[in-house]
C-alpha cells in the first residue's frame, strides 16, 4: 500500500487519522482509540490545540509540575515546569529549599538587545555600497515605521542598522545587521517583518542610486531573518553563602563539599565532553520553564549552546568560586523570551503558568528562567560530587518502572517504602514486584 499521499492537509481530522491508522498500524482500531483518548472533551479547547499546527491528530501530554520555595531577589516564587524527566522537578525543589535558607537567588538582566540580519550579495565597488547604505539608512527606518509604531509606544523598536562586510568569508557577501529592543515580546515576528521591509526598501532604492552602475544595482537579497544567537540579551543569576553554611550531609565537610563542587565546575569549564552534559542539566531546568511559559525552547537551546562556545571552545555556562570564605555560584546566559504574544495569551496552561509567576515582564521571566537553570545545575553537581546521581535519579525513576508493571496503589506504597532503604535498579524493582505478587 503506497504511503505517499497528496492533499493530506485538506483532509479533516478523522480522515487523517483513518489514513494513518490504515497505513501504519497493525491494529488500526487500537491506534485510533489511543489517539482519540488524548482529545480534549471540550471541543473549543481541542480546536484551539488543533489549530496551533498543521495536521494535528491528537494532543501530546507532558507533565506540568511546580517547584515551590524559590527566593529570587527577596520574593518567593513557585516555578512551573513542563518536563518528562522524572528527577528534574524534585531536584529543582530541593535546590530551591537549600538556597531559601541561605539568602536565595540574586539576579539581574545585563542587556536586552536582539539581532536580525538581511543577508545579501553585492559584487560592485565597496565604497559605492557604503555611500548607498549611508544615504538609504534613514529611509530604511522610515519605511519600517508602520511596523515599529506600536513597539515604540511600548518603549521598543529598531536600535540601529549597520552594513557589515563579510566578503572575507564569502565572495560578495554583505549584511544589514540590525539590532532591536522588543520589550515584553520575544519579537521574532516583529524583527522578521522589519527585516523584510528593510530588504524591500534596500532593493528598490538601489535601482535609483546614481553612483551605482547597472551591474551594481543588481543586489541579490538572499534572506532576511532574526538571529537566535542573542549574546546581548543576557541575564545573570547567582547564589552565595559562607563556606561553613554549605552543610550537605554528615559524610562531607562544608569545605570539602565546596572544593569538590568547584572542581566539578572547573572540569566543565575546560572539558567539552563534560561541559555538554553539565549544560544539558542546566537546560533541564531552563527548557522546562521556557516550555511551561509558552516560549520557544528550540530558539533558547540554539542560542544558549552557541553562547557556551563563544570563545571557540564549548564550555560551562556556570562558574563557581570561593573568596574570603564565601562560596559563590553563578550563571550568565542569553535568553530571548516573551510574556506577550505567541502562545502566551492563547494556551490556557501558559496563561496559568504566567499568572503563577505574577505575570512577569520578559525581563523578570529571563531572571526566573536563569534561576531554574542555576538551581538545576546546583542540584546535579551536589548529587554528582556526593552520593552520585543514580541514587536520586533511580528513586524518581522507580515510579516509571512500577507503572510499566501496572503496579496498583498499594503495591506502589509497599515498594516505595521498600526502596527507601534498598538500592533501586531495574532488576531489583522487577524482583521486588515479583516477590510482592507471589
Ligand atoms: C541528567 O538529565 C542531567 C545530568 O547528567 C546533568 C549533569 O551531569 O550535570 C545529571
Amino acid at each position: 500500500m503506497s504511503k505517499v499521499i497528496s492533499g493530506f492537509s485538506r483532509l479533516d481530522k478523522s480522515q487523517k487519522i483513518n489514513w494513518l491508522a490504515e497505513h501504519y498500524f497493525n491494529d488500526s482500531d487500537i491506534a485510533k482509540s489511543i489517539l482519540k483518548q488524548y482529545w480534549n472533551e471540550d471541543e473549543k479547547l481541542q480546536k484551539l490545540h488543533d489549530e496551533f499546527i498543521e495536521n494535528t491528530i491528537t494532543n501530546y501530554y507532558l507533565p506540568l509540575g511546580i517547584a515551590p520555595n524559590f527566593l529570587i531577589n527577596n520574593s518567593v516564587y513557585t516555578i512551573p515546569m513542563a518536563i518528562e524527566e522524572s528527577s528534574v522537578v524534585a531536584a529543582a525543589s530541593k535546590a530551591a529549599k537549600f538556597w531559601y535558607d541561605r539568602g536565595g537567588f540574586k539576579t539581574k538582566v545585563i542587556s536586552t538587545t536582539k539581532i536580525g540580519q538581511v543577508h545579501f550579495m553585492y559584487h560592485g565597488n565597496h565604497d559605492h555600497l557604503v555611500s548607498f547604505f549611508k544615504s538609504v539608512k534613514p529611509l530604511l527606518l522610515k519605511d519600517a515605521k508602520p511596523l515599529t509604531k506600536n513597539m515604540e509606544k511600548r518603549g521598543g523598536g529598531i536600535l540601529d542598522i549597520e552594513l557589515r562586510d563579510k566578503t572575507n568569508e564569502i565572495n560578495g557577501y554583505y549584511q544589514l545587521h540590525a539590532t532591536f529592543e522588543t520589550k515584553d515580546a520575544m519579537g521574532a515576528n516583529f524583527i522578521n517583518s522589519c527585516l523584510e521591509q528593510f530588504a524591500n526598501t534596500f532593493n528598490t532604492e538601489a535601482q535609483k542610486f546614481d553612483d551605482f552602475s547597472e551591474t551594481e544595482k543588481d543586489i541579490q537579497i538572499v534572506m532576511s531573518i532574526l538571529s537566535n544567537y542573542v549574546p546581548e540579551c543576557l541575564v545573570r543569576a547567582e547564589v552565595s553563602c559562607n563556606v561553613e553554611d554549605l552543610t550537605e550531609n554528615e559524610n562531607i565537610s562544608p569545605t570539602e563539599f565546596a572544593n569538590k563542587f568547584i572542581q566539578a565546575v572547573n572540569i566543565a569549564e575546560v572539558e567539552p565532553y563534560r561541559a555538554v552534559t553539565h549544560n544539558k542539566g542546566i537546560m533541564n531546568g531552563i527548557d522546562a520553564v521556557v516550555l511551561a511559559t509558552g516560549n520557544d525552547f528550540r530558539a533558547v537551546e540554539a542560542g544558549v549552546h552557541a553562547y557556551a562556545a563563544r570563545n571557540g571552545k564549548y564550555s560551562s555556562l556556570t562558574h563557581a568560586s570561593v573568596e574570603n570564605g564565601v562560596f559563590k555560584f553563578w550563571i550568565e546566559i542569553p535568553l530571548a523570551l516573551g510574556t506577550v504574544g505567541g502562545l502566551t495569551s492563547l494556551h490556557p496552561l501558559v496563561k496559568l503558568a504566567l499568572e503563577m509567576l505574577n505575570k512577569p515582564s520578559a525581563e523578570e521571566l529571563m531572571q526566573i528562567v536563569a534561576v531554574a537553570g542555576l538551581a538545576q545545575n546546583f542540584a546535579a553537581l551536589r548529587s554528582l560530587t556526593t552520593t552520585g546521581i543514580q541514587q536520586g535519579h533511580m528513586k524518581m525513576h522507580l515510579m516509571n518502572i512500577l507503572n510499566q508493571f501496572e503496579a496498583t496503589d498499594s503495591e506502589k506504597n509497599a515498594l516505595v517504602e521498600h526502596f527507601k532503604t534498598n538500592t533501586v535498579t531495574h532488576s531489583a524493582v522487577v524482583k521486588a514486584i515479583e516477590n510482592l505478587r507471589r
Side-chain angles (χ1 to χ4, degrees):
M1 205 178 338
S2 168
K3 290 181 178 174
V4 178
I5 179 166
S6 57
F8 184 72
S9 65
R10 288 193 295 278
L11 300 182
D12 70 23
K13 195 156 115 184
S14 292
Q15 290 169 323
K16 283 176 185 152
I17 289 175
N18 287 342
W19 178 85
L20 181 76
E22 277 159 28
H23 286 77
Y24 284 91
F25 301 119
N26 285 338
D27 190 328
S28 62
D29 286 340
I30 290 184
K32 280 195 248 183
S33 81
I34 292 174
L35 291 171
K36 289 182 182 169
Q37 198 182 359
Y38 281 85
W39 288 5
N40 201 292
E41 279 171 19
D42 178 338
E43 280 180 24
K44 205 166 143 222
L45 188 68
Q46 186 53 55
K47 193 160 174 341
L48 179 74
H49 283 73
D50 287 351
E51 289 176 357
F52 283 152
I53 61 167
E54 178 108 319
N55 295 344
T56 308
I57 51 168
T58 191
N59 305 307
Y60 186 96
Y61 292 174
L62 280 181
L64 176 67
I66 54 167
N69 302 322
F70 271 96
L71 185 63
I72 307 177
N73 300 338
N74 302 322
S75 298
V76 179
Y77 290 85
T78 293
I79 298 187
M81 304 178 87
I83 188 153
E84 87 301 344
E85 190 174 325
S86 33
S87 55
V88 169
V89 178
S93 306
K94 242 175 121 182
K97 197 76 203 0
F98 184 93
W99 285 107
Y100 184 90
D101 298 330
R102 290 163 180 79
F105 295 80
K106 300 282 181 271
T107 60
K108 74 167 189 254
V109 170
I110 297 168
S111 51
T112 56
T113 300
K114 288 160 188 161
I115 291 162
Q117 298 165 321
V118 178
H119 305 268
F120 67 95
M121 296 293 168
Y122 168 82
H123 294 281
N125 178 295
H126 176 81
D127 293 342
H128 291 176
L129 183 64
V130 171
S131 65
F132 169 60
F133 174 69
K134 273 193 193 138
S135 76
V136 80
K137 187 171 166 180
L139 196 61
L140 294 177
L141 296 170
K142 183 165 171 258
D143 285 358
K145 272 277 168 224
L147 300 166
T148 60
K149 225 167 59 196
N150 279 340
M151 187 59 87
E152 279 165 15
K153 274 191 210 144
R154 291 191 264 139
I158 301 162
L159 301 177
D160 196 13
I161 313 172
E162 284 170 38
L163 174 68
R164 290 201 172 170
D165 181 347
K166 306 293 274 184
T167 52
N168 278 344
E169 284 156 73
I170 298 177
N171 183 24
Y173 172 33
Y174 288 87
Q175 297 169 349
L176 299 179
H177 181 97
T179 44
F180 301 86
E181 169 56 59
T182 62
K183 301 310 276 184
D184 286 337
M186 189 267 193
N189 282 333
F190 169 72
I191 294 173
N192 289 336
S193 301
C194 289
L195 294 170
E196 289 186 4
Q197 181 58 54
F198 297 162
N200 263 336
T201 304
F202 201 67
N203 226 347
T204 313
E205 293 306 308
Q207 311 313 312
K208 306 180 204 157
F209 189 62
D210 287 341
D211 290 355
F212 273 160
S213 67
E214 278 314 301
T215 50
E216 284 174 331
K217 288 179 185 170
D218 186 25
I219 287 174
Q220 291 147 33
I221 306 288
V222 180
M223 59 191 160
S224 310
I225 187 76
L226 92 164
S227 173
N228 290 124
Y229 184 42
V230 283
E232 287 155 39
C233 188
L234 266 194
V235 57
R236 179 186 166 100
E238 177 183 309
V239 284
S240 65
C241 69
N242 290 328
V243 169
E244 71 231 32
D245 295 332
L246 280 177
T247 38
E248 165 51 37
N249 63 48
E250 62 279 6
N251 298 322
I252 185 164
S253 75
T255 307
E256 219 181 318
F257 175 64
N259 288 343
K260 263 192 113 176
F261 192 96
I262 288 175
Q263 280 166 355
V265 174
N266 289 344
I267 289 169
E269 284 168 339
V270 301
E271 166 55 53
Y273 281 99
R274 172 57 200 151
V276 171
T277 318
H278 177 97
N279 290 347
K280 186 275 180 186
I282 294 171
M283 299 315 286
N284 278 344
I286 290 184
D287 281 343
V289 189
V290 168
L291 197 54
T293 56
N295 275 281
D296 181 344
F297 63 92
R298 288 84 56 208
V300 168
E301 281 276 347
V304 164
H305 293 298
Y307 187 75
R310 69 194 178 286
N311 296 323
K313 181 174 166 185
Y314 191 89
S315 179
S316 171
L317 292 161
T318 55
H319 306 282
S321 69
V322 171
E323 271 172 38
N324 304 322
V326 176
F327 170 83
K328 210 188 260 187
F329 178 48
W330 71 96
I331 187 167
E332 237 173 63
I333 38 161
L335 287 174
L337 301 175
T339 54
V340 298
L343 275 196
T344 55
S345 53
L346 274 182
H347 197 302
L349 286 176
V350 169
K351 282 201 245 177
L352 282 188
L354 289 170
E355 196 175 334
M356 196 188 304
L357 296 172
N358 303 326
K359 302 197 174 149
S361 64
E363 288 198 20
E364 283 160 349
L365 186 59
M366 285 167 76
Q367 296 171 71
I368 294 164
V369 170
V371 163
L374 187 69
Q376 208 65 43
N377 191 223
F378 180 78
L381 295 184
R382 183 183 181 191
S383 301
L384 286 167
T385 56
T386 55
T387 55
I389 204 75
Q390 282 310 88
Q391 195 185 78
H393 207 83
M394 290 308 287
K395 278 242 153 78
M396 293 306 301
H397 192 53
L398 173 61
M399 208 42 80
N400 286 347
I401 306 175
L402 294 178
N403 281 331
Q404 263 170 30
F405 284 88
E406 297 184 354
T408 62
D409 283 347
S410 72
E411 285 174 333
K412 281 179 185 168
N413 288 341
L415 290 167
V416 165
E417 205 46 46
H418 171 77
F419 282 105
K420 277 188 181 154
T421 48
N422 289 280
T423 308
V424 180
T425 64
H426 194 274
S427 56
V429 178
V430 173
K431 208 159 155 208
I433 296 176
E434 283 168 1
N435 283 341
L436 195 69
R437 287 178 177 173
R438 204 165 278 149

